[in-house]
């Protein structure tokens, strides 16, 4: 795979719920695949707790436009 044309899988960032929702809007606006994970409440988290936003894959330029301001963990 040519790393100059697609973002690798496994990049992890930490963001508050409001930031996740803003990132989702930006991904939608740029036609980038994304999925917001909402917990079913069968473990320690309350039902309907938003836990993760998966974004991509897509071109590095587009992914950087969406996630470029986030700090990589």
């Amino acid at each position: 795979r040519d790393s100059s044309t697609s973002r690798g899988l496994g990049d992890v960032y930490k963001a508050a719920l409001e930031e996740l929702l803003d990132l989702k809007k930006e991904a939608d606006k740029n036609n980038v695949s994304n999925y917001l994970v909402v917990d079913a409440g069968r473990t320690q988290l309350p039902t309907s707790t938003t836990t993760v936003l998966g974004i991509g894959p897509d071109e590095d330029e587009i992914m950087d436009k969406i996630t470029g301001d986030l700090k990589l963990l």
Side-chain angles (χ1 to χ4, degrees), residues 11-73:
D11 291 349
V12 177
Y13 304 90
K14 182 178 178 182
L17 177 58
E18 184 176 318
E19 291 174 288
L20 290 180
L21 297 176
D22 288 344
L23 290 167
K24 180 171 179 25
K25 287 178 189 175
E26 192 65 27
D28 288 339
K29 186 171 89 173
N30 286 278
N31 296 314
V32 175
S33 297
N34 66 84
Y35 186 78
L36 194 62
V37 178
V38 179
D39 197 86
R42 296 187 185 122
T43 60
Q44 296 176 352
L45 298 174
T47 302
S48 301
T49 299
T50 300
T51 56
V52 175
L53 173 63
I55 302 175
D58 211 306
E59 301 293 322
D60 283 347
E61 181 179 305
I62 295 170
M63 294 300 293
D64 286 344
K65 181 177 177 182
I66 298 168
T67 63
D69 291 335
L70 295 176
K71 183 179 177 183
L72 186 62
L73 296 179

